[in-house]
Amino acid sequence: MWFGFPDLKGGSPMKIIICGAGQVGWQIARHLANENNDVTVVDRNADLVRRATDTLDVQGIVGFASYPDILTRAGAVDADMIIAATHSDEVNMVTCQVAHSVFNIPRKIARLRSQSYLDAIYSDLYRRDHMPIDVVISPETEVAEAVLRRLETPAAFDTEFFLDGEVQMLGITLTDSCPVLNTPLRQLSDLFSTLSAIVVAIRREGSMFVPSSGDQLFTGDSCYIFVKKTDVERTLEVFGKTTKTQERIVIVGGGNVGFSVAKDLESKRSHIRAKVIEKDRSTAEYAAEALEKTVVLHGDGLDSDILAESNIERSDAIVAVTDDDKTNILVAVRAKSMGCPLAICLVNDPSMVVLLQDMGIDAYINPRATTVSSILRHIRHGRVRGVYSIGDAEGEVIEAQVLSTSTIAGQYIRDIDFPEGVRIAAVRKEKNIVKPSGSVRIEDGDQIVLFALSDDVREVERLLQVTIDFF
């Protein structure tokens, strides 16, 4: 939900207050501190504040984020932005109100989870003369959209769109059926010269790297591939994946996320038949009343009998989105063992992700990562149009417009002095998507998509000659 920022004069790094030092707040603080901003983290949990100040170049204040005296200590008097990402919607809202009314902080972002606060009919609530919030981020909405993207591309464990949907990122794990194993990447370019696909990163044995043209692909590699939307199906075939339409979906968890997924499936995917399994009776009853075409079953998704009642063996996919990681993982594993071909689950703890592939889980969604990406998308400097966080903050995809003052403007890709951990993934010149090769010249006004390992993000920002220029 975007309401627009007031203008801010460019110049020096920003002074930013981040309220909430959990995973989301910590990741945002890390990104912004790495860009030499003056960042202060506020949380009532002293251990979380200490973790932030010990591991990041940030200041920390222990206390309630909505208290004016705490915000004063955090430097709210001359702050440029406040990001309210505590676990409480109400604290986040009041924090933004205090930031506006007492300190006149120009930019205010709030994470809100309750669907009632997010209903479009109440959007006037966030006007500057009411509850002044410039950007509202809904983790549940972000996650629901991520689930829909996974269902559209079931062969990918991760996917995202860039350049107004014209370019798609595919995260694909290679199996023995991949026909291009043990083939140098430069050979792939020769074999499939008309295909726009480019491999920008590989995770192998738990470590991510940016491959060179001589690197080969092996069974078990998790590859991040960028491809024109029109070439997705052919690219999946080249890498040994089949595309199948998902028509029968079972959703385990009827809370905010599961409800949002089911609602979106009803409104956007008329051919899909969905069933929701929800353990809490009142939540199940609410979902049953509010959903028009979706069958809602009251029961425990871990119970094989309730899974059988949902016809899991005849379903195309299971989507496990309860608020418990272990439940989601076990539900997905059980559904696969009962014959469901595709399992997608919600996982908050990034340390659990390494276990998923061995368990046969096809795709996961980290709600914290989607929230961090969404917030960063709204606060990046310069002509950055979009940001997407990869894995456990291992890398970042940055979509940007090239400025005439950028050091890369006017250069051929082969001559740009990128760090080893950076690759151009796509280029748009006016209305045309161009496959990035060494002979492509980057010019003023081009829109580019770059992949960067986390250690190299700052260098990418420098190459783009980022200035404080919101738009």
Side-chain angles (χ1 to χ4, degrees):
M1 201 179 291
W2 166 255
F3 301 97
F5 285 133
D7 291 331
L8 183 72
K9 287 182 284 188
S12 59
M14 288 189 295
K15 187 170 185 178
I16 302 168
I17 300 171
I18 298 172
C19 303
Q23 284 295 328
V24 169
W26 187 88
Q27 293 283 13
I28 295 166
R30 181 177 71 84
H31 282 283
L32 296 177
N34 282 345
E35 293 160 17
N36 297 321
N37 292 296
D38 179 356
V39 178
T40 301
V41 173
V42 179
D43 200 292
R44 62 178 180 172
N45 185 318
D47 291 336
L48 290 179
V49 172
R50 191 177 304 112
R51 182 187 72 146
T53 55
D54 287 350
T55 57
L56 306 172
D57 183 17
V58 301
Q59 300 174 70
I61 300 292
V62 178
F64 283 87
S66 57
Y67 288 5
D69 61 320
I70 296 296
L71 289 179
T72 298
R73 288 173 54 202
V77 172
D78 58 350
D80 298 303
M81 177 185 297
I82 191 162
I83 301 167
T86 75
H87 292 296
S88 166
D89 286 358
E90 288 73 23
V91 169
N92 293 339
M93 295 167 81
V94 172
T95 298
C96 287
Q97 182 70 66
V98 173
H100 175 78
S101 301
V102 178
F103 302 103
N104 199 29
I105 295 178
R107 297 189 175 92
K108 298 159 287 290
I109 295 176
R111 176 175 69 170
L112 301 182
R113 304 186 66 172
S114 171
Q115 291 303 299
S116 183
Y117 289 137
L118 300 168
D119 197 312
I121 64 173
Y122 304 125
S123 60
D124 272 1
L125 175 63
Y126 307 109
R127 284 185 1 214
R128 294 184 68 77
D129 53 346
H130 292 160
M131 181 75 67
I133 302 174
D134 299 299
V135 178
V136 172
I137 302 294
S138 162
E140 281 73 15
T141 301
E142 300 287 336
V143 168
E145 291 175 356
V147 169
L148 293 177
R149 289 196 295 272
R150 299 295 190 282
L151 290 172
E152 286 178 352
T153 316
F157 63 82
D158 195 0
T159 186
E160 182 59 89
F161 291 95
F162 298 91
L163 297 177
D164 302 317
E166 293 186 67
V167 172
Q168 187 170 358
M169 182 196 77
L170 302 170
I172 298 175
T173 300
L174 305 184
T175 64
D176 291 332
S177 63
C178 176
V180 294
L181 294 176
N182 309 315
T183 306
L185 292 178
R186 74 165 68 89
Q187 227 171 298
L188 290 184
S189 297
D190 296 336
L191 288 169
F192 306 101
S193 58
T194 61
L195 197 64
S196 67
I198 177 170
V199 179
V200 299
I202 298 172
R203 186 187 292 110
R204 182 177 295 159
E205 297 177 355
S207 180
M208 183 176 285
F209 65 96
V210 171
S212 65
S213 60
D215 281 318
Q216 301 178 30
L217 302 175
F218 301 115
T219 299
D221 283 354
S222 294
C223 302
Y224 288 86
I225 304 165
F226 281 77
V227 60
K228 280 173 66 173
K229 186 71 172 71
T230 51
D231 283 348
V232 166
E233 195 165 329
R234 188 169 160 228
T235 300
L236 290 170
E237 290 172 0
V238 166
F239 287 90
K241 302 294 181 181
T242 57
T243 55
K244 183 180 184 298
T245 303
Q246 312 301 305
E247 295 183 347
R248 296 181 297 276
I249 312 294
V250 176
I251 302 165
V252 177
N256 286 341
V257 174
F259 180 83
S260 294
V261 172
K263 194 78 174 171
D264 282 354
L265 289 174
E266 284 189 349
S267 61
K268 300 174 184 175
R269 310 285 189 277
S270 57
H271 64 283
I272 289 180
R273 287 171 288 171
K275 294 177 181 175
V276 172
I277 299 173
E278 170 53 46
K279 190 175 182 179
D280 179 76
R281 177 174 288 280
S282 61
T283 304
E285 288 174 348
Y286 173 81
E289 289 176 12
L291 296 169
E292 297 174 9
K293 308 170 191 172
T294 305
V295 175
V296 179
L297 303 174
H298 173 231
D300 188 343
L302 283 171
D303 186 339
S304 55
D305 290 337
I306 198 78
L307 285 175
E309 186 181 341
S310 72
N311 291 324
I312 195 66
E313 73 284 354
R314 294 172 55 199
S315 297
D316 296 312
I318 179 112
V319 178
V321 288
T322 75
D323 56 7
D324 182 75
D325 286 356
K326 293 173 185 174
T327 297
N328 293 337
I329 291 170
L330 291 172
V331 164
V333 170
R334 172 155 282 179
K336 292 277 283 192
S337 72
M338 294 176 69
C340 185
L342 178 70
I344 301 171
C345 66
L346 199 65
V347 180
N348 286 278
D349 183 355
S351 68
M352 307 278 281
V353 169
V354 293
L355 306 173
L356 302 183
Q357 189 175 329
D358 292 337
M359 292 180 171
I361 294 171
D362 303 282
Y364 70 92
I365 294 159
N366 182 332
R368 291 169 180 164
T370 61
T371 302
V372 168
S373 291
S374 183
I375 291 174
L376 288 176
R377 196 177 301 133
H378 291 301
I379 61 179
R380 281 294 186 173
H381 296 169
R383 294 297 180 190
V384 172
R385 296 157 47 90
V387 177
Y388 186 74
S389 185
I390 296 292
D392 183 17
E394 298 159 278
E396 215 173 271
V397 182
I398 301 168
E399 179 183 324
Q401 183 175 351
V402 177
L403 304 174
S404 60
T405 54
S406 168
T407 55
I408 69 174
Q411 289 201 59
Y412 292 99
I413 289 178
R414 61 171 171 260
D415 298 329
I416 299 173
D417 188 22
F418 282 127
E420 285 187 12
V422 176
R423 281 287 182 279
I424 293 186
V427 179
R428 179 162 65 185
K429 291 179 173 291
E430 295 182 348
K431 295 182 179 179
N432 299 318
I433 302 295
V434 179
K435 184 177 179 179
S437 64
S439 60
V440 172
R441 187 177 182 182
I442 302 299
E443 297 170 307
D444 176 25
D446 287 355
Q447 291 168 6
I448 60 174
V449 179
L450 300 111
F451 173 85
L453 294 176
S454 55
D455 289 344
D456 294 317
V457 170
R458 286 179 70 178
E459 179 63 12
V460 170
E461 299 276 4
R462 189 190 69 77
L463 287 169
L464 292 172
Q465 284 208 349
V466 172
T467 58
I468 306 221
D469 180 14
F470 285 82
F471 63 102

